[in-house]
Amino acid sequence: MAGRTGEPTLPRGRGDLSEAVLAYMRGSGELPAPALADEADPYGEDLHLALYVCYELHYRGFAGVDPAREWDPPLLEVRAALERRFETALRSDAPPDADLTATLDALLVEPVRGTGVSHFLQESGTMDQLRAYAMQRSLYHLKEADPHAWVLPRLSGRAKAGMAAVEYDEFGAGRAERVHARLFADLMADLGLETSYGHYVDEGHAEMLALVNLMSLFGLHRRLRGALVGHFAAVEITSSPSSRRLALAMKRAQAGPAAEHFYTEHVEADAVHEQIVRHDVIRGLLDEEPELEADVVFGIDATGCLEDRLAARLLSDWHPASPVGG
């Protein structure tokens, strides 16, 4: 069945930090000293795999890992050190440099000649490149909307109602076969890919791991609720035009009806979601907590920063001469 549930297996380590964390989860080694996180590349695959597996204990967990590890104090101490290293780098590299209105308006601007991943795939993407893209995005899309659900208890009033309305759509509006994670699993099946949750973590680029970790970082910390709303806004506002291009890419490649449907569904749904997020979620949040405006902008900017890093990696892999854009 597409989108099989259950606990995935632990991935392979990618360096001293991740290998030590994985060994600890297996019960066969000691945790790394938290201070080692300060020496790691804040965007590197070792740090982000270590952080990813820590976060996954709050989602599906892993086969053979004691569920009690989710709240293991020494492991949480290491996770906190990894988070600090990552967040510090993000705040340095993506400082809010415009007010919220200007930042939101900028998300709506479509370049005359786009050079981003969705443009490339629409114009010339091969089936192998579409599969590679789906493998990367599966790290998020097979749990689509789950990280955002963490923010619901941290909101109230209009913001909470708007967020819940969007999440309801993401979770299929009460119909299991329409849950967006299930729709992405169906897309993967059309592309001839394995559909089980977490299957492609070993193939996941550091840049994709960082994007998924960003969602969990923002979602799991109440103090970052404004940043999570900003991230969510960035995703929903930019999704509709990019999904339209990806639907055309799937159609041109004859990838299959489910592969097309996943993106056509997002063209329609996210055009509506954009308005709800802007007028209900963001405005509702800031009417009650205006001091969170800078955090909302930070969430938008941090998302753009990491999406740009992922785009650069993918385009470099597929076509080294390609420029990088939105």
Side-chain angles (χ1 to χ4, degrees), residues 1-6 142 176-177 182 185-186 189 193-197:
M1 182 183 77
R4 291 194 300 274
T5 60
L142 290 181
E177 72 277 9
R182 170 63 186 270
D186 294 339
L193 298 172
E194 170 60 52
T195 65
S196 56
Y197 182 95

Side-chain angles (χ1 to χ4, degrees), residues 43 46-47 62 73 78 116 120 124 130 135 186 200 204-205 211 269 275 290 302 308 313:
Y43 301 117
D46 189 26
L47 182 145
F62 293 100
V78 171
F120 177 86
S124 58
L130 292 171
M135 288 165 60
D186 294 339
Y200 290 107
H205 297 329
L211 262 174
Q275 296 301 311
D308 286 347
R313 172 66 184 269

Side-chain angles (χ1 to χ4, degrees), residues 22-45:
L22 290 166
Y24 184 76
M25 288 186 178
R26 295 187 189 100
S28 61
E30 299 295 322
L31 282 169
L36 290 178
D38 296 335
E39 304 170 11
D41 178 351
Y43 301 117
E45 59 183 5

